[in-house]
Amino acid sequence: MSAKAEEQFRDFVTARWRALLRTTYLLTGDHGRAEDLLQVALVRAHRRWSRIDDPELYVRRIVINLNHSWWRRRRIAEHLTDAPPETVPRSVDGDPQAGYDLRDELWTAVRTLPPRMRAVLVLRYFEDLPEAEVARVLGCSLGTVKSQSSRGLVRLRDLLGPDSGGTDSGGRDGSGGNGKTGNSDMAGRKP
Amino acid sequence: MSDQLESRLRRTLASQAERIPGDPDPYPAVARRIGRARRNRRAALAAALVAVVALGAGVPAGLRARDRTDIAAVESPSLLDWPTRGSLAGDARFLAGVRARLAGSNVHVLFAGDGGGRRLVLVAVGHDTAAYGWVLYGAAGTPADRLEQEEVFGPSSLGRERAPIVWFGPEQGNVLLVVGPPRMTAVKVLSSISYPADGTPVPRPRVVPADHGAVLLAVPDARPGRLFVKPRIGDMYLSATEPAWSLDSTADPAFWDRVDKDAASARVVAADARGLMHGLGAIATPPERLTYRFLWGGSLGHRRTALVATFSGPDTPTFLVIQTTYTHPDGSTEQDRLGRALWDPEEAKAPVGWTTVTGEKSNDDSAPATAAVYVPGRPGTRVELWDGETRFAAGTTGPEGVAVFPTGVPRSRLRTFEYHVFSDAGTVFHRAELGLGDLSTAVVGPRDW
């Protein structure tokens, strides 16, 4: 790699490290593994740096695929977690502890989702990416993103129980909650 | 789904992400990793070249050609071309029910059968460039539309994958399903390891014949982190695969509070203690199910710290574990964990010696290693390192009972050295090799079973 390209790579790592690490952490639920995974992804990006048009997209894809591969091999560690939050988040109802409990409960539920489903939710609701962009990052169809997102929310609501505050109003995007979308490669549905 | 849940989800993810601290200069750690990957690639390339040269020089041309034919014959078709196996493979009505349930894509039923009181169906959905794998499961006899469903692989080009698919259901009567190409003749299943008195684990695998490339059996004694599968394709066993586990284990803040308190009482850094517990959990069981005891934690000098502890999981012996942590100048850390099973937990009270290469340019066994010897409760004790009949080095334990020897000797050789611990009267009261191996091997055994 040329000195200029190396400099560009260094700038990219420095500028985007924290943002990418945050996303990776949300995908893995484990700080140490997130760092490890992101480093591996950056090593791969470094190897192909001169041929990559969109480094951020490339690294995100590798992170997601690595996490999925890892999850398939050792799902047990999927449930491990770093220390609980040390700061109490703000709450809308004036009870800081109540806000903490609800978010912790929701985060616990998020961590039980399969990795692809979690990736869709993280990209949609943390990165705020449009569905089409999520599909581009994941390398899948728009229909798959919609069905995964919809099913992920349904599953979260199921996990949180009737007091979760969610109401069953069907898919916001109109795709419904059963995952039976027209152009999805997955097209599986729970009975 | 309500906007309320979506809003909560946004806030939750943002709140969790805020926990991740910033790193003013993450590049040095990445650069080190790049260097290590580069060295590994070069080593692999060199090994491949050596193999090619050896083949070219030593094998007659005719035989080389035949070998190539054999290799091609070993190759299996894409999993999307595998036939349907299992006791329900001929049940057209049931298979039609599976396909109807997964309507809308190319559905390939790879396995459908009952066994161990459960019904399992393995399905690949898609095509060569974008395939997903699903397992449908339930009690034996359950109709297709009432089976539960779980994704086992996907997406992208996994349709071209030819490796056997392994699925294990700890909540489904511990059934293990291995589906490979029809040439898969058997599966070695390792779920039992014995630990003789010398602490060396001995794997006890069993060989299960495959039925047209598929195996479905119950493994009642399987435990998380200690179930491995080696499929045999033709005459060759593939490397071990560890099936995924779907275990529910939520973080227990009370447990981690106890870890912090126990660490403090043993003068162990809380972060090191938590790191060790997570590391142990990844190889044996969720940390919350471990029984542990911190024996000592402290500095080895030169940016290194160490932690000596014992732990045991459900149905495991007690393990002695030593974690050495090196902190780079940029704040990033690297660790190694050594250990062995203890026949008698009281052995943990005896002196222990180990090697570490943390902080060296390479982490392999050829790197120059440092030796450390911990003599519980005995500061000022004389310790010697012996290379066979030759005394290599001598030192005295510090205030916390630890003697450290930077040796410059490759770790693989340093592990054969003995350490001798002397009494006040000048006689050796404890001697042993610095042979402590890596913790993962101590727990799950060697891989060459």
Side-chain angles (χ1 to χ4, degrees):
Chain A
M1 187 189 282
S2 69
K4 188 180 175 188
E6 190 72 52
E7 188 68 21
Q8 286 174 342
F9 177 76
R10 182 178 189 134
D11 290 346
F12 173 77
V13 171
T14 306
R16 300 303 302 155
W17 172 263
R18 188 170 185 226
L20 288 166
L21 184 62
R22 287 165 63 159
T23 302
T24 311
Y25 171 72
L26 294 176
L27 295 172
T28 62
D30 182 274
H31 186 185
R33 190 154 62 82
E35 277 194 341
D36 184 56
L37 217 139
L38 181 54
Q39 283 185 5
V40 172
L42 288 168
V43 168
R44 293 192 186 179
H46 180 267
R47 212 181 303 163
R48 293 175 176 77
W49 187 251
S50 57
R51 286 168 280 165
I52 300 173
D53 293 331
D54 186 341
E56 184 124 1
L57 173 70
Y58 185 84
V59 171
R60 272 187 180 145
R61 271 187 178 164
I62 295 177
V63 160
I64 288 167
N65 288 334
L66 284 174
N67 184 48
H68 192 203
S69 302
W70 184 93
W71 192 83
R72 285 172 62 204
R73 287 197 311 274
R74 303 186 68 99
R75 195 178 315 163
I76 179 174
E78 180 73 10
H79 304 289
L80 304 183
T81 176
D82 278 342
E86 291 171 0
T87 55
V88 177
R90 295 183 300 274
S91 170
V92 290
D93 62 8
D95 178 355
Q97 195 57 43
Y100 170 86
D101 290 340
L102 285 171
R103 280 180 213 170
D104 200 43
E105 186 187 16
L106 182 52
W107 174 236
T108 301
V110 168
R111 287 191 296 115
T112 66
L113 299 179
R116 301 290 296 183
M117 191 178 277
R118 193 201 296 190
V120 168
L121 294 185
V122 167
L123 294 175
R124 281 285 288 123
Y125 296 103
F126 175 67
E127 296 275 3
D128 269 332
L129 296 184
E131 286 171 335
E133 183 66 11
V134 175
R136 198 166 80 94
V137 172
L138 295 177
C140 64
S141 70
L142 185 60
T144 299
V145 171
K146 288 185 178 198
S147 66
Q148 287 282 291
S149 176
S150 175
R151 274 191 278 166
L153 292 171
V154 167
R155 196 180 292 190
L156 286 179
R157 193 204 52 184
D158 288 347
L159 289 166
L160 292 173
D163 298 329
S164 65
T167 55
D168 189 5
S169 58
R172 191 176 63 135
D173 51 30
S175 63
N178 64 2
K180 195 176 179 183
T181 54
N183 56 351
S184 167
D185 288 324
M186 304 175 72
R189 64 178 189 270
K190 276 216 161 200
Chain B
M1 184 55 54
S2 71
D3 288 344
Q4 193 181 345
L5 179 57
E6 291 176 304
S7 302
R8 273 183 57 190
L9 183 58
R10 287 181 204 280
R11 290 198 303 270
T12 296
L13 295 176
S15 161
Q16 289 296 328
E18 277 302 314
R19 296 172 51 193
I20 302 301
D23 185 340
D25 189 7
Y27 182 75
V30 175
R32 266 197 309 279
R33 196 86 181 234
I34 290 169
R36 200 180 304 162
R38 205 175 270 154
R39 282 194 297 276
N40 288 344
R41 278 204 307 280
R42 283 176 187 155
L45 182 61
L49 284 172
V50 167
V52 167
V53 169
L55 274 174
V59 182
L63 188 55
R64 285 206 301 275
R66 199 185 72 190
D67 282 348
R68 278 199 297 274
T69 307
D70 287 349
I71 290 167
V74 167
E75 288 185 354
S76 307
S78 156
L79 64 81
L80 296 176
D81 298 322
W82 293 352
T84 305
R85 272 69 56 82
S87 60
L88 298 172
D91 188 335
R93 190 174 169 189
F94 177 77
L95 297 183
V98 171
R99 293 193 179 96
R101 171 185 171 136
L102 299 164
S105 299
N106 295 324
V107 178
H108 305 264
V109 181
L110 303 174
F111 180 91
D114 291 339
R118 313 304 300 173
R119 170 160 289 184
L120 290 180
V121 182
L122 177 62
V123 185
V125 180
H127 43 77
D128 269 359
T129 54
Y132 290 79
W134 298 87
V135 163
L136 314 181
Y137 57 88
T142 305
D145 61 348
R146 292 174 61 189
L147 292 169
E148 295 290 319
Q149 180 172 316
E150 180 179 312
E151 182 180 318
V152 287
F153 67 81
S156 72
S157 60
L158 289 168
R160 289 195 289 268
E161 201 168 85
R162 295 165 179 177
I165 297 161
V166 180
W167 185 85
F168 180 69
E171 293 162 358
Q172 299 299 313
N174 272 17
V175 289
L176 173 69
L177 175 66
V178 185
V179 179
R183 283 179 54 82
M184 188 180 84
T185 53
V187 171
K188 257 191 205 176
V189 179
L190 175 63
S191 58
S192 172
I193 297 171
S194 59
Y195 300 91
D198 68 357
T200 308
V202 179
R204 307 272 184 210
R206 57 181 161 146
V207 177
V208 183
D211 180 9
H212 296 91
V215 165
L216 173 63
L217 79 161
V219 190
D221 59 347
R223 297 286 180 273
R226 283 176 286 155
L227 173 63
F228 299 93
V229 174
K230 281 187 181 179
R232 188 172 75 197
I233 307 293
D235 296 328
M236 186 177 68
Y237 278 105
L238 305 182
S239 54
T241 298
E242 184 185 357
W245 286 75
S246 30
L247 283 180
D248 277 334
S249 172
T250 52
D252 176 1
F255 173 85
W256 292 104
D257 285 347
R258 275 201 309 279
V259 170
D260 287 348
K261 284 177 188 164
D262 292 342
S265 65
R267 295 199 295 159
V268 170
V269 176
D272 287 351
R274 284 175 175 247
L276 174 62
M277 301 303 285
H278 281 303
L280 298 177
I283 60 171
T285 191
E288 284 88 346
R289 299 182 194 177
L290 293 170
T291 303
Y292 65 89
R293 190 172 157 219
F294 301 124
L295 301 175
W296 177 78
S299 172
L300 300 181
H302 300 285
R303 310 184 77 89
R304 287 193 182 109
T305 60
L307 194 169
V308 182
T310 62
F311 80 94
S312 61
D315 310 311
T316 76
T318 297
F319 293 94
L320 172 70
V321 53
I322 295 177
Q323 172 180 274
T324 306
T325 303
Y326 177 84
T327 304
H328 289 277
D330 60 17
S332 61
T333 58
E334 64 177 75
Q335 293 174 325
D336 64 17
R337 297 187 182 102
L338 308 178
R340 69 181 176 90
L342 294 176
W343 186 248
D344 175 1
E346 289 298 303
E347 288 179 59
K349 294 178 181 172
V352 58
W354 69 96
T355 59
T356 184
V357 291
T358 52
E360 300 294 343
K361 286 180 182 172
S362 159
N363 285 334
D364 60 35
D365 276 359
S366 64
T370 294
V373 178
Y374 170 54
V375 186
R378 289 183 66 96
T381 297
R382 181 174 176 80
V383 177
E384 294 179 354
L385 298 189
W386 284 73
D387 178 11
E389 298 301 314
T390 308
R391 190 175 70 185
F392 178 79
T396 306
T397 58
E400 297 187 60
V402 177
V404 181
F405 303 89
T407 67
V409 176
R411 186 182 216 177
S412 55
R413 203 162 101 69
L414 189 61
R415 278 184 165 141
T416 67
F417 285 24
E418 275 195 348
Y419 61 95
H420 296 180
V421 184
F422 288 76
S423 68
D424 293 340
T427 58
V428 176
F429 77 91
H430 182 91
R431 56 190 287 181
E433 278 191 356
L434 291 166
L436 210 57
D438 72 276
L439 181 62
S440 174
T441 302
V443 173
V444 300
R447 299 280 170 167
D448 56 345
W449 41 274

